[in-house]
């Protein structure tokens, strides 16, 4: 099978290779991949930055967002069957630790990931534990089903801490998940949704996704603009996706007194921040990681199945697997929002 592999550390190091298809062991399934999305974690691996990049062995097939059809199952698999159209939860928990046993498998300290710890989804076929399969209706768009995993992060961030109904929300950083979060916050009742991103393509997409305003933080003060739109109060909820020191400073400057920062970013490096400067405003900081299994999926999937939110503005490119490195180059150049690799 064709597959996109990280073959060496550092920047780039990608190669399309012909790899063997691995038959599923007990508890596993073999899936024919139809579409797979490139995300921020993949870009960190591409750049050789961050903790996940240090875990890679070479070669490793990258990718974890996908939709595909089950073609074979191993012994003991009962909840999926051959022919099912599935998406994947990208966390592979241990299922036995304290977090897993108390309903918090999404923060299992022993979590493994496709595309990092095992071969991932930028391939014609992928073999993964059947326990991470989400079964879709057979008639759902395969491209939209490939976006359910990242959509789940936006839904998790939106519903955490009492949700966003009747609140002013600022989405700081409009990559694919930030853009989804604009639409999700609007759907779940935010009275004002403000998008912040320096990239004009992303700001345009944010307006299409339902933002009331899209702010360029390089051209004006995001904090001033947000306060102008919120009667000088600041945002009730700021959802942080940038992971950049400048973006983080903007994030805390935009949040109002007793507001909430919902942290979804995965910074590629450490940063300094003076939290003492914000003690007076007393924001709550919530660390959002992945999706709650399977509570978030139950909330997120109907948004796609019922066409309650429009994900079309998120998909910027469709690239054949044989040309998959081009997807990373487009993102790095700021020319793509969410490329899908078609397998």
């Amino acid at each position: 099978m064709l597959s996109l592999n990280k073959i060496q550390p550092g920047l780039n190091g990608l190669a399309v290779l012909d790899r063997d298809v691995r038959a599923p062991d007990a508890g596993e399934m073999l899936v024919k991949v139809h579409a797979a999305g490139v995300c921020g974690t993949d870009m960190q691996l591409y750049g050789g930055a961050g903790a996940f990049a240090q875990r890679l062995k070479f070669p490793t097939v990258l990718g974890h967002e996908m939709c595909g059809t089950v073609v074979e199952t191993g012994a003991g698999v009962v909840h999926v069957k051959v022919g099912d159209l599935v998406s994947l939860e990208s966390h592979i928990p241990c299922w036995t630790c304290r977090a897993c046993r108390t309903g918090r498998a999404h923060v299992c300290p022993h979590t493994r990931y496709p595309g990092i710890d095992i071969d991932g989804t930028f391939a014609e076929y992928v073999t993964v534990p059947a326990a991470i399969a989400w079964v879709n209706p057979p008639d759902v768009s395969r491209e939209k089903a490939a976006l359910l995993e990242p959509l789940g992060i936006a839904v998790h961030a939106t519903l955490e801490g009492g949700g966003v109904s009747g609140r002013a929300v600022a989405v700081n950083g409009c990559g694919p998940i930030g853009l989804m979060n604009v639409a999700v916050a609007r759907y779940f009742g935010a009275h004002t949704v403000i998008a912040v991103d320096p990239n004009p393509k992303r700001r345009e997409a944010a307006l299409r996704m339902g933002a009331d305003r899209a702010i360029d933080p390089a051209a004006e003060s995001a904090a001033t603009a947000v306060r102008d739109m919120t009667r000088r109060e600041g945002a009730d909820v700021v959802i942080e996706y940038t992971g950049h020191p400048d973006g983080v400073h903007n994030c805390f400057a935009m949040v109002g007194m007793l507001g909430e920062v919902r942290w979804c970013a995965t910074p590629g490096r450490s940063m300094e921040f003076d939290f003492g400067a914000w003690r007076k405003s007393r924001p709550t900081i919530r660390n959002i990681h992945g999706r709650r299994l399977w509570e978030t999926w139950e909330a997120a999937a109907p948004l796609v199945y019922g066409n309650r939110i429009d994900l079309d503005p998120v998909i910027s490119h469709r690239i054949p697997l044989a040309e998959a490195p081009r997807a990373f180059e487009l993102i790095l150049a700021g020319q793509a929002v969410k490329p899908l690799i078609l397998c």
Side-chain angles (χ1 to χ4, degrees):
M1 66 175 184
L2 282 184
S3 60
L4 179 66
N5 296 257
K6 180 79 171 176
I7 60 171
Q8 62 188 35
L11 180 63
N12 196 336
L14 298 183
V16 177
L17 303 177
D18 192 5
R19 298 276 301 272
D20 291 337
V21 177
R22 183 171 71 83
D25 290 332
E28 293 185 325
M29 62 182 182
L30 175 65
V31 182
K32 172 66 182 77
V33 180
H34 303 309
V38 181
C39 85
T41 301
D42 299 314
M43 292 304 297
Q44 287 191 357
L45 299 173
Y46 172 81
F52 286 143
Q54 313 314 310
R55 288 166 56 166
L56 280 179
K57 297 179 181 179
F58 306 107
T60 293
V61 180
L62 300 184
H64 55 272
E65 304 174 0
M66 62 82 73
C67 173
T69 298
V70 178
V71 296
E72 186 179 348
T73 58
V77 174
V78 295
H79 76 286
V80 295
K81 62 183 185 301
V82 172
D84 281 345
L85 186 69
V86 297
S87 302
L88 296 185
E89 166 58 50
S90 63
H91 295 181
I92 307 173
C94 72
W95 304 111
T96 60
C97 70
R98 182 181 182 187
C100 290
R101 288 186 286 106
T102 55
R104 294 170 289 182
H106 66 297
V107 291
C108 168
H110 310 296
T111 296
R112 296 180 300 137
Y113 302 87
I116 297 174
D117 302 295
I118 64 173
D119 282 331
T121 60
F122 295 154
E124 293 179 286
Y125 294 89
V126 64
T127 304
V128 293
I132 63 171
W134 174 267
V135 180
N136 297 294
D139 59 347
V140 70
S141 160
R142 294 176 175 186
E143 293 185 356
K144 302 290 178 61
L147 299 181
L148 284 179
E149 190 265 5
L151 174 64
I153 297 174
V155 172
H156 185 185
T158 298
L159 298 182
E160 196 76 0
V164 297
S165 180
R167 305 169 90 175
V169 175
V171 178
N172 193 39
C174 292
I177 301 175
L179 289 174
M180 294 180 196
N181 214 142
V182 168
V184 172
R186 175 66 72 200
Y187 177 81
F188 282 107
H191 65 67
T192 303
V193 181
I194 305 163
V196 182
D197 198 285
N199 185 304
K201 291 182 181 294
R202 292 178 173 185
R203 292 198 304 275
E204 178 185 354
L207 293 172
R208 291 175 60 194
M209 299 290 283
D212 294 290
R213 184 175 174 186
I215 298 167
D216 179 358
E220 62 177 314
S221 166
T224 299
V226 168
R227 291 185 183 279
D228 286 345
M229 295 183 67
T230 58
R231 298 181 298 176
R232 312 303 303 169
E233 295 287 343
D236 299 306
V237 177
V238 179
I239 306 178
E240 160 59 23
Y241 285 104
T242 71
H244 187 278
D246 292 341
V248 172
H249 282 276
N250 277 340
C251 168
F252 282 90
M254 289 186 289
V255 69
M257 179 73 72
L258 302 179
E260 292 185 19
V261 171
R262 300 181 187 171
W263 185 284
C264 300
T266 305
R269 58 184 174 86
S270 61
M271 65 181 75
E272 292 185 3
F273 188 81
D274 181 10
F275 282 98
W278 298 101
R279 287 187 65 193
K280 187 176 179 180
S281 59
R282 303 287 297 276
T284 297
I285 304 172
R286 300 184 185 276
N287 185 20
I288 307 298
H289 182 65
R291 297 140 301 280
R292 293 186 179 274
L293 280 61
W294 291 89
E295 176 185 344
T296 303
W297 285 83
E298 294 285 355
L303 304 184
V304 173
Y305 301 160
N307 295 313
R308 293 178 172 89
I309 61 172
D310 180 14
L311 296 180
D312 286 333
V314 176
I315 303 172
S316 60
H317 295 77
R318 295 164 176 84
I319 297 176
L321 177 59
E323 303 172 17
R326 186 162 64 90
F328 292 76
E329 296 164 5
L330 287 167
I331 294 173
L332 200 62
Q335 298 174 6
V337 178
K338 168 71 80 174
L340 289 183
I341 295 173
L342 305 182
C343 306

